[in-house]
Amino acid sequence: PLAQNRDCSADAPAMIAFTSGTTGPPKGLVRSHGLMAATHDILSSVLGLRPGEVCLATLPIFTLINLGCGATTLIPDVDLRHPAKIDPERLLQQLARWRVESAVAAPRLIDRLVDASGPDDPRLRSLRTIHVGGAPVFPSLLESLRRVAPAVDAHVI
C-alpha cells in the first residue's frame, strides 16, 4: 500500500541534509517538518513554479520544492559537487533535450554554461527563469547570461 500521511509536530525531524564540505568536513543538518514546510512556502512563492514545468535542480532542497509544486526535476548527469568542473557541453545538451524551463544553481555553474554558450544560444531557448545564488553573484555574470540567453528572467537569491 501507499504511504499514508501522519500527523507530527513541527519540530519532528523530516530529513538530514549534508553541507558541501567546502569549509571543512561535510556535516549532517537535521531539518524539521516545520522548517521544511516554511522553506517550501517561501521558496515556492519566490521560484514561481508551475505544475508540469521542467526545472534544473542542483540541490536536494529544490528537488523537494519542485515535487511539492508539481514540477518535474531534471537532476543532471554531471557531478554537481564540483560546479567549476562540470562538463558544460554535457549539461547544455541535457537542458535542450529535456526543454528545461527554469533553473536554480550556483554562480559558478551558470558561469560554466555561459562560457560554453554563444550569443542567443539555442540550447538555452527553453529557459524562462534562472535563480542564481549560494555564493556571490557579480553583475558581469548576469550581463553574460543575458548575452547567451536574452529571454531568461534572471534572479539572485
Side-chain angles (χ1 to χ4, degrees), residues 12-19 26-32 36 60-61 64:
M15 72 178 269
I16 298 174
F18 286 84
T19 63
K27 299 168 208 62
L29 303 171
V30 177
R31 295 182 188 228
S32 69
M36 296 294 291
I61 191 68
L64 294 174

Side-chain angles (χ1 to χ4, degrees), residues 10 36 68-69 123 135 152 154:
M36 296 294 291
C69 292
R123 298 170 295 182
V152 167

Side-chain angles (χ1 to χ4, degrees), residues 6-57:
R6 303 209 191 264
D7 289 332
C8 64
S9 67
D11 62 345
M15 72 178 269
I16 298 174
F18 286 84
T19 63
S20 66
T22 56
T23 60
K27 299 168 208 62
L29 303 171
V30 177
R31 295 182 188 228
S32 69
H33 282 272
L35 177 64
M36 296 294 291
T39 301
H40 179 271
D41 290 346
I42 292 168
L43 288 178
S44 63
S45 67
V46 167
L47 298 176
L49 299 170
R50 302 173 306 209
E53 183 172 352
V54 180
C55 308
L56 168 68

